[in-house]
Coordinates of all heavy atoms in Angstrom, one line a residue:
A1 N -34.5 -52.9 17.0 CA -34.9 -53.9 18.0 C -36.0 -53.2 18.9 O -37.0 -53.8 19.3 CB -33.8 -54.3 18.9
S2 N -35.8 -51.9 19.2 CA -36.8 -51.1 20.0 C -38.1 -51.0 19.3 O -39.1 -50.8 20.0 CB -36.2 -49.7 20.3 OG -36.3 -48.9 19.2
A3 N -38.2 -51.2 18.0 CA -39.4 -51.1 17.3 C -40.0 -52.4 17.0 O -41.1 -52.5 16.3 CB -39.2 -50.3 15.9
G4 N -39.4 -53.5 17.5 CA -40.0 -54.8 17.4 C -39.4 -55.8 16.4 O -39.9 -56.9 16.1
I5 N -38.2 -55.4 15.9 CA -37.5 -56.3 14.9 C -36.7 -57.3 15.8 O -36.1 -56.9 16.8 CB -36.5 -55.5 14.0 CG1 -37.3 -54.5 13.2 CG2 -35.7 -56.4 13.2 CD1 -38.4 -55.1 12.3
P6 N -36.7 -58.6 15.4 CA -36.0 -59.6 16.1 C -34.5 -59.3 16.3 O -33.8 -58.8 15.4 CB -36.2 -60.9 15.3 CG -37.3 -60.6 14.4 CD -37.3 -59.1 14.2
E7 N -34.0 -59.6 17.5 CA -32.5 -59.5 17.8 C -31.8 -60.4 16.8 O -32.2 -61.5 16.5 CB -32.2 -60.0 19.2 CG -32.8 -59.1 20.3 CD -32.0 -57.8 20.5 OE1 -30.9 -57.7 19.9 OE2 -32.5 -56.9 21.2
G8 N -30.7 -59.9 16.3 CA -29.9 -60.7 15.3 C -30.2 -60.4 13.9 O -29.6 -61.0 13.0
A9 N -31.2 -59.6 13.6 CA -31.6 -59.3 12.2 C -30.6 -58.4 11.5 O -30.4 -58.5 10.3 CB -33.0 -58.6 12.2
I10 N -29.9 -57.5 12.3 CA -28.9 -56.7 11.7 C -27.6 -56.9 12.6 O -27.6 -56.5 13.7 CB -29.3 -55.2 11.8 CG1 -30.6 -55.0 11.0 CG2 -28.1 -54.3 11.2 CD1 -31.1 -53.6 11.2
Q11 N -26.6 -57.5 11.9 CA -25.3 -57.7 12.7 C -24.1 -57.3 11.8 O -24.1 -57.5 10.6 CB -25.2 -59.2 13.0 CG -26.3 -59.7 14.0 CD -26.0 -61.2 14.3 OE1 -25.2 -61.5 15.2 NE2 -26.7 -62.0 13.6
L12 N -23.1 -56.8 12.5 CA -21.8 -56.4 11.9 C -20.8 -57.3 12.5 O -20.7 -57.4 13.7 CB -21.5 -55.0 12.1 CG -20.2 -54.5 11.5 CD1 -20.3 -54.2 10.0 CD2 -19.7 -53.2 12.2
I13 N -19.9 -57.9 11.6 CA -18.8 -58.7 12.1 C -17.8 -57.7 12.7 O -17.2 -56.8 12.0 CB -18.2 -59.5 11.0 CG1 -19.2 -60.6 10.6 CG2 -16.9 -60.2 11.5 CD1 -18.7 -61.4 9.4
P14 N -17.5 -57.7 14.0 CA -16.7 -56.7 14.7 C -15.2 -56.9 14.7 O -14.5 -56.7 15.7 CB -17.3 -56.7 16.1 CG -17.5 -58.2 16.3 CD -18.0 -58.7 15.0
T15 N -14.7 -57.3 13.5 CA -13.3 -57.6 13.4 C -12.8 -57.3 12.0 O -13.6 -57.4 11.1 CB -12.9 -59.0 13.8 OG1 -11.5 -59.2 13.7 CG2 -13.6 -60.0 13.0
T16 N -11.5 -56.9 11.9 CA -10.9 -56.7 10.6 C -10.2 -57.9 10.1 O -9.5 -57.9 9.1 CB -10.0 -55.5 10.6 OG1 -9.0 -55.7 11.5 CG2 -10.7 -54.2 10.9
D17 N -10.2 -59.0 10.9 CA -9.5 -60.2 10.6 C -10.0 -60.8 9.3 O -11.2 -61.1 9.1 CB -9.7 -61.2 11.7 CG -8.8 -62.5 11.6 OD1 -8.4 -62.8 10.4 OD2 -8.5 -63.1 12.6
R18 N -9.1 -61.0 8.3 CA -9.6 -61.5 7.0 C -10.1 -62.9 7.1 O -10.9 -63.3 6.2 CB -8.4 -61.5 6.0 CG -8.0 -60.0 5.6 CD -7.0 -60.0 4.5 NE -6.6 -58.7 4.1 CZ -5.8 -58.4 3.1 NH1 -5.3 -59.4 2.4 NH2 -5.6 -57.2 2.8
E19 N -9.7 -63.6 8.1 CA -10.3 -65.0 8.2 C -11.8 -65.0 8.4 O -12.5 -65.9 8.1 CB -9.6 -65.7 9.4 CG -9.9 -67.2 9.4 CD -9.3 -67.9 10.6 OE1 -8.5 -67.3 11.3 OE2 -9.7 -69.1 10.9
A20 N -12.3 -63.9 9.1 CA -13.7 -63.8 9.3 C -14.5 -63.8 8.0 O -15.5 -64.4 7.8 CB -14.0 -62.5 10.1
A21 N -13.9 -63.0 7.0 CA -14.6 -63.0 5.7 C -14.5 -64.3 5.0 O -15.5 -64.8 4.4 CB -13.9 -61.9 4.8
S22 N -13.3 -65.0 5.2 CA -13.2 -66.4 4.6 C -14.2 -67.4 5.2 O -14.8 -68.2 4.4 CB -11.8 -66.9 4.8 OG -10.8 -66.0 4.1
I23 N -14.4 -67.3 6.5 CA -15.3 -68.2 7.1 C -16.8 -67.8 6.6 O -17.6 -68.7 6.3 CB -15.3 -68.0 8.7 CG1 -13.9 -68.5 9.2 CG2 -16.4 -68.7 9.4 CD1 -13.6 -68.2 10.6
M24 N -17.0 -66.6 6.5 CA -18.4 -66.1 6.1 C -18.7 -66.7 4.7 O -19.9 -67.0 4.4 CB -18.4 -64.6 6.1 CG -19.7 -63.9 5.8 SD -19.5 -62.1 6.0 CE -21.1 -61.6 5.5
M25 N -17.7 -66.8 3.9 CA -18.0 -67.3 2.5 C -18.4 -68.7 2.4 O -18.8 -69.2 1.4 CB -16.7 -67.0 1.6 CG -16.3 -65.6 1.4 SD -14.8 -65.4 0.4 CE -14.2 -63.8 0.9
T26 N -18.2 -69.5 3.5 CA -18.5 -70.9 3.5 C -19.6 -71.3 4.5 O -19.7 -72.4 4.8 CB -17.2 -71.7 3.7 OG1 -16.7 -71.4 5.0 CG2 -16.2 -71.5 2.7
M27 N -20.3 -70.3 5.0 CA -21.3 -70.5 6.0 C -22.7 -70.9 5.3 O -23.7 -70.2 5.5 CB -21.5 -69.3 6.9 CG -20.3 -69.1 7.8 SD -20.3 -67.6 8.8 CE -21.8 -67.9 9.8
N28 N -22.7 -72.0 4.5 CA -23.9 -72.3 3.8 C -25.0 -72.7 4.7 O -26.2 -72.6 4.2 CB -23.6 -73.5 2.9 CG -22.5 -73.2 1.8 OD1 -21.4 -72.9 2.1 ND2 -22.9 -73.3 0.5
D29 N -24.8 -73.1 5.9 CA -25.9 -73.5 6.8 C -26.6 -72.3 7.4 O -27.7 -72.5 7.9 CB -25.3 -74.4 7.9 CG -24.2 -73.8 8.7 OD1 -23.5 -72.9 8.1 OD2 -24.0 -74.2 9.8
C30 N -26.0 -71.1 7.3 CA -26.5 -69.9 7.9 C -26.9 -68.8 6.9 O -27.8 -68.1 7.1 CB -25.6 -69.4 8.9 SG -25.3 -70.5 10.3
I31 N -26.1 -68.7 5.8 CA -26.2 -67.6 4.9 C -26.7 -68.1 3.6 O -26.2 -69.1 3.0 CB -24.8 -66.9 4.7 CG1 -24.3 -66.3 6.0 CG2 -25.0 -65.8 3.6 CD1 -23.0 -65.7 5.9
D32 N -27.8 -67.4 3.1 CA -28.4 -67.9 1.8 C -27.8 -67.3 0.6 O -27.8 -67.9 -0.5 CB -29.9 -67.5 1.9 CG -30.6 -68.3 2.9 OD1 -30.9 -69.5 2.7 OD2 -30.9 -67.7 4.0
V33 N -27.3 -66.1 0.7 CA -26.6 -65.4 -0.5 C -25.6 -64.4 0.0 O -25.8 -63.8 1.1 CB -27.7 -64.8 -1.4 CG1 -28.4 -63.6 -0.7 CG2 -27.0 -64.3 -2.7
L34 N -24.5 -64.3 -0.7 CA -23.4 -63.3 -0.4 C -23.5 -62.3 -1.5 O -23.6 -62.6 -2.7 CB -22.1 -64.0 -0.4 CG -21.5 -64.6 0.8 CD1 -20.2 -65.2 0.5 CD2 -21.4 -63.6 1.9
I35 N -23.3 -61.0 -1.1 CA -23.2 -59.9 -2.0 C -21.9 -59.2 -1.7 O -21.8 -58.5 -0.7 CB -24.4 -58.9 -1.9 CG1 -25.7 -59.7 -2.2 CG2 -24.2 -57.8 -2.9 CD1 -26.9 -58.8 -2.0
P36 N -20.9 -59.2 -2.6 CA -19.7 -58.5 -2.4 C -19.8 -57.1 -3.1 O -20.3 -56.9 -4.2 CB -18.6 -59.3 -3.2 CG -19.4 -60.0 -4.3 CD -20.8 -60.2 -3.8
R37 N -19.4 -56.1 -2.4 CA -19.3 -54.7 -2.9 C -18.0 -54.1 -2.7 O -17.5 -53.9 -1.6 CB -20.4 -53.8 -2.2 CG -21.8 -54.1 -2.6 CD -22.8 -53.1 -2.1 NE -22.5 -51.8 -2.7 CZ -23.3 -50.7 -2.5 NH1 -24.4 -50.8 -1.8 NH2 -22.9 -49.6 -3.1
G38 N -17.3 -53.9 -3.9 CA -15.9 -53.3 -3.7 C -15.2 -53.4 -5.1 O -15.8 -53.6 -6.1
G39 N -13.9 -53.4 -5.0 CA -13.0 -53.5 -6.2 C -12.9 -54.8 -6.7 O -13.4 -55.8 -6.2
R40 N -12.1 -54.9 -7.8 CA -11.9 -56.1 -8.6 C -11.3 -57.2 -7.7 O -11.8 -58.4 -7.8 CB -11.0 -55.9 -9.7 CG -10.8 -57.0 -10.7 CD -9.7 -56.7 -11.8 NE -10.1 -55.6 -12.5 CZ -10.9 -55.6 -13.6 NH1 -11.3 -56.8 -14.1 NH2 -11.1 -54.5 -14.3
G41 N -10.4 -56.9 -6.8 CA -9.7 -57.9 -6.0 C -10.7 -58.6 -5.0 O -10.8 -59.8 -4.9

């Protein structure tokens, strides 16, 4: 942001609540693509 990048361009969800991830998976109006990185589950 100090170098001129718009606020909100880099955000981290500040909770470990699993519901946050579930909500994120259905935010079609805001998110264009999801990329999961992790194990099989």
Side-chain angles (χ1 to χ4, degrees):
S2 72
I5 298 301
E7 295 281 350
I10 301 171
Q11 297 183 82
L12 177 82
I13 296 174
T15 177
T16 60
D17 191 332
R18 290 189 177 184
E19 188 184 351
S22 297
I23 294 170
M24 188 175 173
M25 294 179 206
T26 59
M27 292 174 62
N28 297 62
D29 55 337
C30 298
I31 298 176
D32 294 285
V33 64
L34 273 177
I35 302 176
R37 289 192 59 172
R40 186 184 301 271

